[in-house]
Amino acid sequence: MMLMGIVLPVVMSGVSTALSAAERARNTAQAATLGEAKLAELVATGQWGLTAGGGDFSPDFPQYRWVCQTATRDFGAVEIILQVSWIERGMERSLLLSTIAYENQELTGILQ
């Protein structure tokens, strides 16, 4: 009986830690999937050209929010940075994703 009193709390602590790690992995993988899809959408539609944007992934995943920012890089390149955030066990977690896109070039100056 005394052995179970020593072993049982250790086992329960291990199970709790494993469940917490599994939840964190699931949430991070979901955030990465949602973020990659949103980043691809922003690049494909050209909406990243707006100074800043944000929202959530309603109606399917309203607990995940996103914010988009841009940073100018060399040679007409723009880095698009997407932050996906969610609440996990009372704490805010986030994941950053980024890609490089090029600004649209005006052809009028080239054709003259």
Side-chain angles (χ1 to χ4, degrees), residues 90-105:
M91 294 181 62
E92 184 168 346
R93 305 285 186 188
S94 65
L95 179 71
L96 290 176
L97 299 101
S98 69
T99 190
I100 300 291
Y102 290 93
E103 295 178 0
N104 293 334
Q105 300 293 324

Side-chain angles (χ1 to χ4, degrees), residues 16-17 19-21 23-24 27 87-93:
S16 176
T17 302
L19 289 174
S20 177
E23 179 185 13
R24 178 91 190 260
N27 288 337
I87 302 295
E88 180 181 301
R89 295 186 177 243
M91 294 181 62
E92 184 168 346
R93 305 285 186 188

Side-chain angles (χ1 to χ4, degrees), residues 45-63:
T45 61
Q47 291 179 350
W48 59 268
L50 305 173
T51 55
D56 63 15
F57 294 95
S58 291
D60 296 328
F61 299 97
Q63 67 272 27

Side-chain angles (χ1 to χ4, degrees), residues 17-96:
T17 302
L19 289 174
S20 177
E23 179 185 13
R24 178 91 190 260
R26 181 179 51 80
N27 288 337
T28 302
Q30 186 65 56
T33 301
L34 292 170
E36 287 176 354
K38 179 54 79 174
L39 199 55
E41 175 189 331
L42 292 172
V43 171
T45 61
Q47 291 179 350
W48 59 268
L50 305 173
T51 55
D56 63 15
F57 294 95
S58 291
D60 296 328
F61 299 97
Q63 67 272 27
Y64 293 92
R65 297 175 316 281
W66 63 274
V67 175
C68 180
Q69 298 176 335
T70 59
T72 304
R73 301 293 181 227
D74 293 337
F75 306 109
V78 176
E79 182 179 15
I80 305 164
I81 305 161
L82 188 81
Q83 179 179 11
V84 179
S85 304
W86 68 97
I87 302 295
E88 180 181 301
R89 295 186 177 243
M91 294 181 62
E92 184 168 346
R93 305 285 186 188
S94 65
L95 179 71
L96 290 176

